[in-house]
């Protein structure tokens, strides 16, 4: 693979990290009846302009899949060279699936539609699990590789992984409290968006770092035959 092709693949991660949240928040801030505080990001895949988030999620997932391939090529061997790209690919699959299979109406959005639970909604929940769990796990796995050249980058990667999963879990709790009528309006949307922000900022940062260091040996393991 040429250096230019690899740079393009790694740049796909940067593009996905910018595209997905920017379109989500721009659409959410201007969508009638939608609240960035209250409603989940996936609910933008329903109601008016649902097509926009379908394109956003699918395109973002494809870019992230290209990034996973680029990370595999850039790391070549050593810590994180196998599981890092696999987890990034799982994240990409979750994002694409979330775009193709919309979530159920919930928390009063889309306006006028009752809360329901469908098979499609359950599939969408699985997609969300792949997205958040895969992104968090990838940050932890690649933190071990980043530690070989920078403790600060390793710490940043671990902190990002923690934030992604904790904030996503907190968003789920807030959603449940809201549906039970115990906290209305609960900040489920805010917490989910913060989780996405932590994860996609990490994608951008790691993508930029890998592009800058490749093809130098800065992120290559001293034992290239190992692929943990």
């Amino acid at each position: 693979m040429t250096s230019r092709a690899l740079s393009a693949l790694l740049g796909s991660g940067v593009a996905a990290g910018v595209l997905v949240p920017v379109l989500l928040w721009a659409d959410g801030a201007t969508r009638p009846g939608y609240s960035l505080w209250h409603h989940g990001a996936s609910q933008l895949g329903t109601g008016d302009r649902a097509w926009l988030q379908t394109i956003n999620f699918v395109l973002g997932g494809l870019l992230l899949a290209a990034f996973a391939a680029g990370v595999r090529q850039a790391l070549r061997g050593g810590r994180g060279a196998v599981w890092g790209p696999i987890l990034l690919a799982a994240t990409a699959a979750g994002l694409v699936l979330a775009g193709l299979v919309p979530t159920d109406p919930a928390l009063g959005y889309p306006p006028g539609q009752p809360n329901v639970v469908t098979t499609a909604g359950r599939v969408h929940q699985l997609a969300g699990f792949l997205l958040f769990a895969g992104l968090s796990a990838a940050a932890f796995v690649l933190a071990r590789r980043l530690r070989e050249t920078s403790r600060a980058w390793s710490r940043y990667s671990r902190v990002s992984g923690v934030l992604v999963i904790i904030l996503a879990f907190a968003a789920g709790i807030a959603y449940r409290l809201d549906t039970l009528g115990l906290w209305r309006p609960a900040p489920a949307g805010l917490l989910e968006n913060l989780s996405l922000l932590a994860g996609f900022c990490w994608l951008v940062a790691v993508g930029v770092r890998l592009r800058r260091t490749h093809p130098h040996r800065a992120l290559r393991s001293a034992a290239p035959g190992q692929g943990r």
Side-chain angles (χ1 to χ4, degrees):
M1 178 179 291
T2 66
S3 180
R4 181 174 297 180
L6 179 55
S7 181
L9 289 176
L10 295 174
S12 296
V14 178
V18 173
L19 172 71
V20 174
V22 167
L23 277 183
L24 273 174
W25 301 332
D27 188 23
T30 58
R31 184 85 70 91
Y34 182 86
S35 168
L36 288 168
W37 168 276
H38 190 206
H39 299 118
S42 291
Q43 289 179 259
L44 287 169
T46 64
D48 296 336
R49 300 203 304 252
W51 60 270
L52 178 60
Q53 293 312 318
T54 298
I55 293 174
N56 187 23
F57 288 160
V58 172
L59 179 57
L62 294 176
L63 288 170
L64 192 51
F67 179 61
V71 170
R72 175 60 176 161
Q73 288 295 318
L75 298 186
R76 294 186 177 273
R79 291 179 175 177
V82 173
W83 279 105
I86 287 175
L87 290 167
L88 288 171
T91 305
L95 198 53
V96 171
L97 186 59
L100 295 176
V101 183
T103 192
D104 294 323
L107 302 180
Y109 192 87
Q113 294 192 25
N115 293 357
V116 295
V117 178
T118 66
T119 300
R122 295 188 186 280
V123 171
H124 189 92
Q125 289 178 358
L126 174 61
F129 174 80
L130 284 175
L131 170 60
F132 289 104
L135 191 53
S136 177
F140 281 110
V141 168
L142 291 180
R144 299 180 63 199
R145 184 58 171 267
L146 292 166
R147 191 175 186 274
E148 295 177 4
T149 55
S150 171
R151 290 180 181 273
W153 271 92
S154 179
R155 285 194 296 269
Y156 168 64
S157 193
R158 286 190 172 93
V159 168
S160 297
V162 169
L163 288 175
V164 168
I165 202 65
I166 286 181
L167 289 168
F169 186 69
I173 293 175
Y175 172 82
R176 179 59 59 186
L177 292 174
D178 200 317
T179 57
L180 293 174
L182 299 176
W183 187 5
R184 289 183 176 174
L190 174 64
L191 292 167
E192 185 179 24
N193 281 310
L194 289 175
S195 176
L196 291 172
L197 177 63
F200 282 101
C201 282
W202 175 80
L203 284 174
V204 171
V206 171
V208 169
R209 178 169 174 78
L210 287 174
R211 289 188 77 195
R212 287 178 176 175
T213 56
H214 187 83
H216 304 294
R217 296 178 181 269
L219 285 179
R220 295 183 187 176
S221 172
Q226 298 175 353
R228 297 188 294 274

